[in-house]
Amino acid sequence: MNPCPRQLNFAQYLSEINATRAAKAAYMDGERTLSYGALAERSARFAGLLQELGLRREERALLLMHDTVDWPVAFLGALHAGIVPVAVNTLLTPDDYAYMLAHSRSQAVFVSGTLLPVLREALQRGKHEVRHIIVSEPTEALQAPCIDFESRVLAAPPVPAADTCADEIAFWLYSSGSTGQPKGVVHSHGNLWYTVELYGKPVLGVRESDVVFSAAKLFFAYGLGNALSFPLAVGATVVLLRGRPTPQAVFDKLVEFQPTVFCGVPTLYASMLASPDLPMKEQVSMRVCTSAGEALPKELGERYTAHFDCYILDGIGSTEMLHIFLSNRNDDLHYGTTGKPVPGYEVQLRDELGATVPPGSIGDLYIKGPSAALMYWNNRDKTRSTFQGDWLKSGDKYVCDAQGYYTYAGRSDDMIKVSGQYVSPIEVENVLVQHEAVLEAAVIGVADAQGLVKTVAYVVLRPGQDGGDAVKAALQAHVKQCLAPFKYPRQIHFTEELPKTATGKIQRFRLRQMETL
Ligand code: 3SK
């Protein structure tokens, strides 16, 4: 691998690599196609628009958009200008966005028209004001400070790329924590470059002739690599899905666009295989698939390969490391494990005293590698406990066998990972206890029959309340209304009391033990 260039603007780097492919399709979102030439031109014009609006280098802008061809224009356009996009999950609540707007002090927002109502609500609830709102595919007439994405980008002058260095802040993503607010994970231009060189090209093996489709959205670190950095770094074509990645929506893309690389998460693979509409192998063109977010059960991988004659490369990454650092490979695949360290990354399993554990013993996973985030914004304590010198503490437990294959052994804290998204039990519990029927609640993650984790709540009802199905449904609806809908408990058990420590702390691990009996 060549060393990362010291001066690097990742958007400009991609435009230069693809200068000879101006007519080739870079993105297809089902409604619009954007060629490489148009992507480069629009990104440079988007940067010009941001400058015209008075945004300055290093200022932040919230990127709250669905996966359409406008997403990469906004992201790369901001990078081109040296302005820092803060890409956020489109499924969150107004309170979540109010926090992120204030925390990032975003000066502008790039938003999909259908997400404008939730953004307005967030702006009303929070104290932070933004100067400009650039609306992609508006669904209503716009008034200041809202402006139209398409017409304003086309009218703006293309500007030269900012002369950023590789270590300069390029963008942020948010990562959830077990307590407290989400953390702003700050990444550099160089980190994008390293994930391409270490994982995208050598492990995933993405190439120019590929058509890439990631069911994981661009606002996830996993989706950002799959559907932006990796394919654009080799001149491949990317298929985007605007809406929810239901099995049917995914099948439609697989059949219509014939992607050769598909990136999913275990829950999606499970529901695809369970669907009566699963396409036949002859109807699709996948040559390699990836899985991340949670461990891929062995049997699921085997069934998928038997059906499609194509491997799923199960791996683990993190928002903090930007992409996958432990992975299976096409020429070294062990279903049921997360494979081996991606060359360029080092991995250690340590005990509570910091000593490395021998093969066969469970330890805390630490990673060393050049794509680690710079910090959590404005959070020195969490930065220090996670980024420990050259090493990063992942919060996952792993075991390594004598052959060097790593297998997931759970989280080090109570965080739950459902379909690749973190759910804080405390956040869900706090919402449950706001319901009039609930006295106390504890939330844990439980693996279903297929080995996929689902959120389960244990609830102590107030005296006089009955624990029937109607109350369960009401509690689930209550959580969906207050939090991002993916956080609601899929099962609720009513109980007389919760296990607690002498000081009254809920012992979630004891509930987990009960579930495995
Ligand atoms: O969840 C993961 O394993 C993952 C993979 C790649 C990038 C980011 C994440 C969180």
Side-chain angles (χ1 to χ4, degrees), residues 4-181:
C4 179
R6 283 175 69 85
Q7 284 299 124
L8 176 72
N9 181 307
F10 193 72
Q12 180 187 28
Y13 170 77
L14 293 179
S15 295
E16 284 171 5
I17 286 179
N18 294 306
T20 54
R21 303 188 177 92
K24 182 176 178 183
Y27 282 99
M28 298 187 290
D29 70 12
E31 289 181 23
R32 291 193 281 161
T33 297
L34 202 62
S35 67
Y36 269 104
L39 175 64
E41 189 194 328
R42 282 179 179 232
S43 304
R45 287 185 189 275
F46 192 84
L49 172 62
L50 299 182
Q51 287 178 3
E52 258 181 11
L53 294 174
L55 268 89
R56 288 189 287 189
R57 210 163 135 171
E58 296 178 13
E59 285 184 336
R60 267 94 49 200
L62 201 80
L63 195 170
L64 170 56
M65 287 169 60
H66 295 303
D67 279 18
T68 70
V69 298
D70 285 345
W71 203 107
V73 171
F75 184 83
L76 294 172
L79 259 60
H80 188 101
I83 288 158
V84 179
V86 178
V88 296
N89 190 328
T90 53
L91 299 170
L92 302 180
T93 62
D95 284 337
D96 294 322
Y97 298 130
Y99 173 80
M100 291 168 178
L101 284 162
H103 177 252
S104 62
R105 286 201 211 95
S106 284
Q107 297 298 306
V109 183
F110 318 143
V111 66
S112 293
T114 51
L115 293 166
L116 195 50
V118 73
L119 174 68
R120 279 210 187 96
E121 179 81 38
L123 289 165
Q124 268 164 19
R125 288 189 194 188
K127 292 195 188 76
H128 179 76
E129 285 186 18
V130 296
R131 285 151 48 203
H132 306 284
I133 301 177
I134 306 181
V135 186
S136 157
E137 302 184 348
T139 55
E140 57 184 274
L142 299 177
Q143 283 168 2
C146 295
I147 59 171
D148 177 49
F149 190 110
E150 176 78 5
S151 55
R152 293 298 296 264
V153 169
L154 293 180
V159 293
D163 60 342
T164 50
C165 70
D167 290 341
E168 196 160 327
I169 295 176
F171 68 102
W172 298 13
L173 300 171
Y174 272 98
S175 152
S176 330
S178 60
T179 52
Q181 299 289 3

Side-chain angles (χ1 to χ4, degrees), residues 220-223 292-294 315-319 322-324 417 420 422:
F220 289 119
Y222 178 48
E294 60 180 322
I316 178 180
S318 69
T319 309
L322 191 52
H323 216 274
I324 288 173
K417 222 174 179 190
Y422 282 112

Side-chain angles (χ1 to χ4, degrees), residues 55 158 179 187 194 351 365 373 380 388 419 444 509:
L55 268 89
T179 52
H187 278 290
Y194 276 114
D351 65 18
L365 179 71
R380 181 128 84 147
Q388 303 180 5
S419 309
I444 57 170
F509 75 92

